[in-house]
Amino acid sequence: MIAPFFETGAFGARGAIAAALVIGIAFGWCLERAGMGSARKLAGQFYLTDLTVFKVMFSAIVTAMLGTFWLGRLGLLDLSRVYVPETFVAPQLVGGIVFGVGFVVGGLCPGTSCVAAVTGRGDGIMLLGGMFFGVLATGLGFARIADFFSSTPRGALTLPQVLHLPYGVAVAGVVAMALAGFQVAERLERRRSAP
Amino acid sequence: MSRSVRALGIVAASLGAAALFAGSPYRARADGDEITAPQLAEWIRERKAGLRVLDVRTAREFDEYHVPTAERVAVDSIATVAPSPNATLVVYAVDAVNARDAARRLRANGNEQILILRNGVGGWLADVMNPLLPARMSSSDSVRFAALAELSRYFGGQPLRAGERPDDDQSPRTASEKAADLMARTRRRGC
Amino acid sequence: MNGRDRRAPAPYSNPYLTGVGLGVVLLAAFVVMGRGLGASGAFASSAAGVMHAVSPTAASGNAFFSGYIDADGGPWADWLIFEIVGVAIGGALSAWFGGRFRFEVERGPRLTRNARLATAFAGGAVMGLGAVLARGCTSGQALTGGALLSVGSWLFMLGAFAAAYIVAPIVRRAWR
């Protein structure tokens, strides 16, 4: 049976819910283990004192990216059935910028705020509430941004497609970038902790 | 700890380097499974015998817009689609998940010739109703795109030249409706 | 909970190792479900659900919420809602085993408790807007889309990191 198992009919809606819970539990476990439920730790990324965010995120990205590439290459995973988020150039870039501003002010992101809230952090609970409010307010005022929201669609566009590179070359490039980034991160952190 | 991290780094570097020479991670598609929107449009225009287009979205979505000649079938009532020897069933939804699920059930019921519309209703809108023609075309391209443009106009669509926006009063969808479509798609697999 | 909270909390795990673990979880999601992780989508679905409970007509007439309401099983059956419940459980379990439960308001040394709660709320609200525009957040776009090399996701990541680094000195008072 080839993966993705849900897509190839291995199980139905109830199995999907069970999978959601198990995957979510593992997700939350890893986040808390890494200290991503701590706003002070996360904010340290942007003052170059604690680069855990970068290390965790890109270790995860590289792992999953290599995993999907090689499982696909070996014929174990049907990559075309894995949902690639669609690209909308302008709203996603602007959305990222807006999100970044909120992130550095709030110190947590939506996923980590759940971890923070559930481990007793009052700021996590407030941030959760703020997120909900922000999404609700944006939804209520959606008509105003609807045009921009739907602008610049490019479908499920990937980096290899847009750079006209073989998929594997893009993968190699990301791995190289990440490893180089890790070296820089280690050096920056060492400098900060040196007297 | 530091040793295992280093080991992982070496594994990552090796797998990354190997990826340079590995070729494509995508499977060779079994194209018998899917049909493109322009191909479906041709079939509808030439009134292909036995063709049935099945829309498995909600009634509301169907009423807002559906592929011409499509019949709405709720996924749960798909058992009512009786197999018939010469029928060609084309199933579509907002995206592939529901379409494939419906196709699975149809197959379980004994239907045989089942195809899924690639990219669903969004693909129909993008490739048939408002196909994007490049600004600069070679003469061989022009012939191909002229046919596509004519097909689009047959269904009341409007081909777009790159860089153009559809006329507001001729566009079949307002920005809000388009956004609502997109939200429904995102909701299916949202982040 | 006898004495657990009073003993020193276990230190966090190595970020690279936990990151790889996280990557395996993400890969598992791709392999099992054909989709990735997410968080902000759960907020959108629940906002739609709440709107629908308060005023069904207003909710169905809203281009943003109607998509969630019309989806199979309704807004509360969103896969992401179950996933995020899992995140909470997983986070709690990990904190339990590490003795890291702490009732506090984490804040920079120069910020009062109330000011911190206000910045948390404000930051969250702004991220809500950003996540709607970008169709996701760090989990759905940066991690998931990043691993799948989606252009929009990488643009999101670039925008988010750039903006955060640029704004950081301005809000220095909040953290340092």
Side-chain angles (χ1 to χ4, degrees):
Chain A
M1 175 126 272
I2 200 168
F5 300 122
F6 182 67
E7 289 291 305
T8 50
F11 53 88
R14 266 202 311 234
I17 291 176
L21 281 168
V22 171
I23 288 170
I25 290 174
F27 184 20
W29 175 278
C30 289
L31 284 179
E32 201 284 333
R33 279 285 117 161
M36 310 274 271
S38 157
R40 263 203 310 266
K41 201 176 206 330
L42 290 178
Q45 169 76 29
F46 303 109
Y47 297 99
L48 299 177
T49 55
D50 182 340
L51 298 169
T52 303
V53 171
F54 176 78
K55 294 181 196 177
V56 172
M57 251 180 65
F58 276 86
S59 301
I61 288 173
V62 164
T63 304
M65 178 188 67
L66 283 171
T68 45
F69 178 84
W70 283 107
L71 287 177
R73 180 63 184 83
L74 295 171
L76 298 168
L77 171 69
D78 187 349
L79 201 49
S80 65
R81 293 201 185 178
V82 175
Y83 174 71
V84 176
E86 285 176 35
T87 292
F88 292 82
V89 179
Q92 285 189 294
L93 183 57
V94 170
I97 291 168
V98 170
F99 188 88
V101 173
F103 194 2
V104 76
V105 168
L108 294 162
C109 80
T112 52
S113 70
C114 290
V115 171
V118 90
T119 54
R121 271 60 170 181
D123 50 315
I125 298 174
M126 271 309 248
L127 196 130
L128 262 183
M131 263 284 316
F132 187 82
F133 171 80
V135 170
L136 187 63
T138 307
L140 289 171
F142 193 66
R144 240 164 289 175
I145 58 167
D147 246 322
F148 180 67
F149 180 86
S150 341
S151 69
T152 60
R154 293 291 177 268
L157 187 64
T158 61
L159 288 175
Q161 283 169 353
V162 92
L163 297 171
H164 301 292
L165 289 171
Y167 202 102
V169 173
V171 166
V174 171
V175 172
M177 239 173 39
L179 292 178
F182 294 151
Q183 306 272 42
V184 172
E186 290 298 324
R187 211 162 296 163
L188 278 170
E189 278 184 348
R190 233 170 293 146
R191 201 171 300 163
R192 287 287 163 150
S193 58
Chain B
M1 171 224 81
S2 181
R3 233 189 359 215
S4 28
V5 170
R6 205 166 301 141
L8 284 170
I10 293 174
V11 170
S14 317
L15 289 175
L20 283 168
F21 312 104
S24 169
Y26 294 102
R27 301 182 81 209
R29 273 216 83 84
D31 272 317
D33 209 19
E34 282 190 344
I35 183 179
T36 64
Q39 174 67 78
L40 175 63
E42 288 282 353
W43 281 2
I44 294 174
R45 180 163 70 166
E46 70 196 28
R47 293 178 220 275
K48 180 183 163 79
L51 177 69
R52 288 179 71 183
V53 182
L54 305 179
D55 183 332
V56 296
R57 300 173 302 157
T58 65
R60 182 208 163 89
E61 291 169 316
F62 183 83
D63 289 335
E64 275 186 10
Y65 184 79
H66 57 266
V67 170
T69 75
E71 312 160 41
R72 188 182 104 81
V73 179
V75 176
D76 293 333
S77 7
I78 223 140
T80 60
V81 178
S84 109
N86 295 324
T88 305
L89 303 174
V90 176
V91 185
Y92 75 87
V94 176
D95 64 24
V97 183
N98 288 345
R100 288 192 189 281
D101 185 47
R104 241 193 315 273
R105 296 185 195 218
L106 286 167
R107 223 165 271 133
N109 239 35
N111 293 285
E112 283 176 358
Q113 261 282 74
I114 306 166
L115 296 166
I116 292 176
L117 177 60
R118 182 175 294 181
N119 295 328
V121 68
W124 174 269
L125 290 169
D127 297 339
V128 174
M129 295 306 284
N130 297 109
L132 195 60
L133 309 179
R136 268 182 277 274
M137 289 189 266
S138 69
S139 48
S140 52
D141 278 345
S142 300
V143 173
R144 184 157 54 94
F145 284 114
L148 187 58
E150 201 227 320
L151 185 63
S152 170
R153 278 187 277 268
Y154 175 85
F155 288 99
Q158 186 189 16
L160 302 169
R161 294 211 87 98
E164 252 176 25
R165 291 166 52 86
D167 296 335
D168 279 316
D169 51 3
Q170 284 182 341
S171 164
R173 325 271 298 145
T174 62
S176 242
E177 288 168 327
K178 268 197 290 236
D181 269 352
L182 290 172
M183 277 324 305
R185 284 225 295 275
T186 313
R187 156 61 180 86
R188 268 264 64 80
R189 311 302 218 101
C191 316
Chain C
M1 281 234 212
N2 20 294
R4 233 181 214 277
D5 287 352
R6 249 150 272 140
R7 73 145 208 251
Y12 295 121
S13 303
N14 176 274
Y16 298 111
L17 296 178
T18 349
V20 170
L22 188 49
V24 170
V25 174
L26 178 55
L27 183 60
F30 292 148
V31 165
V32 170
M33 293 298 305
R35 63 160 302 155
L37 305 170
S40 63
F43 286 84
S45 284
S46 33
V50 166
M51 269 298 290
H52 184 73
V54 164
S55 166
T57 40
S60 312
N62 180 296
F64 179 74
F65 295 124
S66 58
Y68 292 94
I69 292 167
D70 289 342
D72 278 350
W76 298 108
D78 189 354
W79 192 86
L80 284 174
I81 292 190
F82 293 102
E83 188 238 38
I84 208 99
V85 167
V87 169
I89 295 173
L93 282 173
S94 171
W96 166 263
F97 283 109
R100 286 190 289 263
F101 271 107
R102 221 160 43 227
F103 288 96
E104 67 164 346
V105 172
E106 267 207 39
R107 60 192 194 269
R110 285 200 278 171
L111 218 59
T112 66
R113 196 172 157 281
N114 287 339
R116 169 63 184 133
L117 292 173
T119 58
F121 190 88
V126 171
M127 280 194 286
L129 170 63
V132 168
L133 280 172
R135 284 88 166 154
C137 61
T138 36
S139 318
Q141 289 293 338
L143 283 181
T144 302
L148 295 172
L149 302 181
S150 157
V151 171
S153 306
W154 280 84
L155 287 173
F156 170 83
M157 252 197 289
L158 249 129
F161 269 84
Y165 274 108
I166 290 173
V167 171
I170 303 172
V171 298
R172 194 176 196 85
R173 232 194 78 147
W175 299 111
R176 319 282 303 143

